[in-house]
Amino acid sequence: MKAVVITEFGGPEVLMVQERERPTIGSEEVLIAVKAAGINRPDHFQRKGNYPAPAGVVADIPGLEVAGIVEEVGSAVTRWKVGDQVCSLVAGGGYAAYVAVHAAMCLPIPVGLSFAEAAILPETIYTVWDNLFRRGQLVAGEGVLIHGGSGGIGSTAIQLAKAFGARVFTTVGDAVKGAYCEKLGADVVVPYKEQDFAAVLKEERVDVVLDSIGGSYFSKHIDMLAPDGRLIHVNAVGGVKVELHILKMMQKRLLLTGSTLRARDLSFKIELTQAVYDHVWSLIGQKFRPQLYKTFPLEDAAKAHELLESGDFLGKLALVI
């Protein structure tokens, strides 16, 4: 099969299409003929050597989410049959013509969606549902601050937060991204290069912060969160070491948490898959739409990563086969 391989750690140019052996499946797995693969920031980190694949996962083929057609089913699989159209979160190996996944990790492609649209769903929806709604306990009527609203996580979080009745605040880099986030449903958009988001939101009640920045934002979040507020970290591109005023945390009864998804064990991911299906899947195409900005053929994975690094896009990118 064809696969995009990280030939060495470095820039986008290290991504090259090579021939690899087609995966074999176990009794509880299915083989997916991949039609599209979502592109995510962790793929960029893996390519640069900063985010290694978990043990037992192919180390040099990136890709954390796919959509395609079931090509083969294991002997113990009863839910899926050859020819079914599915999408799935994977721990790696998604930039390839075939991928083997546990059958319980597959979800049906929602009616009306293309393979490329379906391929960009799992990674961000799983991340947002687990962090914003399960760890962050966001409920209707609460205020949530989502940084980087125009990106994959941000555009997903805005839509889901609005779908469940929250008041949404977000930060963006420019006016185009701001207008995009307003169209998605954001109530207040702050251009962070021009305005201090903490000052703009001073009169708003912020119950939950979904943060991918860390660093200097940390103390602002502690100060602006309402009593019983929750600060949820899903990345820390602005710095991983911060200073915590413990007394403020105690006085406001704040919950500080965060998580990563890729290295979690299979049982956790299967349970999360079911939760996403139960709570989110029926919203797709209704209150939630996949935000596909552009697709690239598999052979142009390097060009896709160049655009990913530039940040000059809205929503998500995908490879198509």
Side-chain angles (χ1 to χ4, degrees), residues 156-278:
T156 299
I158 290 172
Q159 291 189 85
L160 289 183
K162 291 302 294 183
F164 285 90
R167 181 165 169 79
V168 176
F169 322 118
T170 190
T171 58
V172 296
D174 57 46
V176 171
K177 293 179 177 179
Y180 171 71
C181 290
E182 289 177 345
K183 186 176 181 180
L184 291 177
D187 296 286
V188 180
V189 176
V190 184
Y192 69 86
K193 296 177 182 178
E194 303 169 10
Q195 296 176 291
D196 180 351
F197 67 86
V200 174
L201 300 175
K202 185 177 181 180
E203 302 303 320
E204 299 280 0
R205 180 182 173 92
V206 179
D207 299 284
V208 183
V209 176
L210 184 65
D211 183 32
S212 57
I213 308 300
S216 62
Y217 281 20
F218 182 81
S219 60
K220 289 185 178 183
H221 293 149
I222 297 297
D223 288 339
M224 71 191 303
L225 275 165
D228 296 305
R230 289 83 76 194
L231 174 56
I232 318 295
H233 286 279
V234 293
N235 207 333
V237 296
V240 297
K241 294 185 178 181
V242 298
E243 186 173 293
L244 171 63
H245 193 304
I246 295 176
L247 188 58
K248 286 183 181 179
M249 179 189 69
M250 295 169 60
Q251 290 171 333
K252 297 168 77 172
R253 303 176 302 279
L254 301 180
L255 172 65
L256 313 181
T257 185
S259 71
T260 59
L261 178 59
R262 187 180 192 183
R264 297 298 297 266
D265 61 44
L266 180 61
S267 62
F268 172 85
K269 292 180 180 178
I270 289 174
E271 184 273 330
L272 181 55
T273 299
Q274 187 61 49
V276 164
Y277 182 73
D278 291 341

Side-chain angles (χ1 to χ4, degrees), residues 79 87 107-113 121 125-126 129 159-160 163-164 272-290:
R79 182 179 180 184
C87 59
L107 288 165
I109 293 180
V111 175
L113 264 59
L121 294 175
I125 288 181
Y126 281 46
W129 184 257
Q159 291 189 85
L160 289 183
F164 285 90
L272 181 55
T273 299
Q274 187 61 49
V276 164
Y277 182 73
D278 291 341
H279 296 285
V280 179
W281 224 241
S282 64
L283 301 176
I284 298 172
Q286 308 295 324
K287 295 182 178 181
F288 179 92
R289 290 291 306 179

